[in-house]
């Protein structure tokens, strides 16, 4: 069995954003040389997420509105965590959207459904962040 590890770094200039990861993950699979196995991709920060869904801008706007209703950023004073920080909402949004995805690799390619794409969700940006890509298989 082979193992491959890579970090993908981001510097998101806004507080929140969704970034398409699929092409970078496809590059990692190619670099790994693994034809049959599993890819794990997880956010290495507790205010960011990795998730699978449709690459449709309207859906991303819906996510943004929905998440803001569930865990509004302001007023910051509504959260006990916000002592010296203002990102309690980002922690909650990350919990809702998830930490990681695991994707099968079949025939040297990501085994995704017809509309599935992988995204990095940033909920407390404006600084360097990263995701971990770990691939195991043969």
């Amino acid at each position: 069995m082979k193992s491959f590890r890579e970090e993908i770094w981001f510097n998101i200039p806004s507080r929140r954003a969704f970034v398409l990861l699929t092409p970078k993950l496809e590059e990692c699979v190619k670099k790994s040389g693994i034809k049959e196995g599993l890819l794990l991709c997880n956010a290495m920060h507790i205010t960011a997420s990795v998730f699978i869904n449709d690459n449709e801008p309207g859906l991303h706007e819906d996510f943004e509105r929905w998440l803001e209703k569930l865990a509004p950023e302001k007023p910051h004073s509504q959260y006990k965590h916000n002592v010296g920080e203002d990102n309690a909402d980002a922690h909650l949004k990350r919990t809702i959207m998830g930490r990681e995805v695991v994707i099968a690799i079949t025939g040297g390619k990501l085994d995704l459904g017809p509309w599935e794409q992988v995204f990095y969700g940033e909920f407390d940006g404006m600084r360097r962040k990263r995701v971990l890509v770990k691939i195991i298989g043969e």
Side-chain angles (χ1 to χ4, degrees):
M1 177 162 5
K2 292 197 290 185
S3 176
F4 174 88
R5 181 186 189 279
E6 185 159 308
E7 292 179 0
I8 301 170
W9 287 85
F10 303 92
N11 193 0
I12 306 296
S14 57
R15 184 171 172 102
R16 289 186 294 276
F18 298 119
V19 178
L20 180 65
L21 278 179
T22 309
K24 291 186 182 293
L25 299 182
E26 290 169 338
E27 288 175 25
C28 288
V29 171
K30 190 179 243 182
K31 277 200 266 186
S32 76
I34 292 172
K35 301 294 180 199
E36 300 292 325
L38 294 172
L39 178 146
L40 165 74
C41 182
N42 67 273
M44 300 291 282
H45 301 274
I46 57 176
T47 57
S49 176
V50 176
F51 64 97
I52 296 175
N53 216 302
D54 193 357
N55 187 15
E56 197 276 305
L59 178 61
H60 299 172
E61 289 178 34
D62 291 342
F63 279 142
E64 176 66 28
R65 275 195 312 278
W66 177 67
L67 289 168
E68 198 57 25
K69 284 180 186 173
L70 292 173
E73 178 188 347
K74 294 178 182 172
H76 294 144
S77 62
Q78 70 185 307
Y79 298 107
K80 292 191 183 292
H81 174 74
N82 282 343
V83 177
E85 294 186 280
D86 68 356
N87 66 357
D89 69 298
H91 290 272
L92 298 172
K93 289 169 176 142
R94 185 271 180 100
T95 299
I96 293 165
M97 296 302 287
R99 176 183 185 261
E100 78 273 324
V101 298
V102 175
I103 305 163
I105 298 169
T106 305
K109 297 189 182 293
L110 295 175
D111 212 340
L112 293 167
W115 302 107
E116 291 184 326
Q117 296 290 308
V118 184
F119 294 91
Y120 171 76
E122 177 58 67
F123 308 114
D124 185 28
M126 300 183 287
R127 62 184 186 276
R128 255 173 80 92
K129 300 235 191 130
R130 65 193 162 125
V131 299
L132 170 69
V133 179
K134 182 76 173 191
I135 303 172
I136 57 171
E138 298 179 352

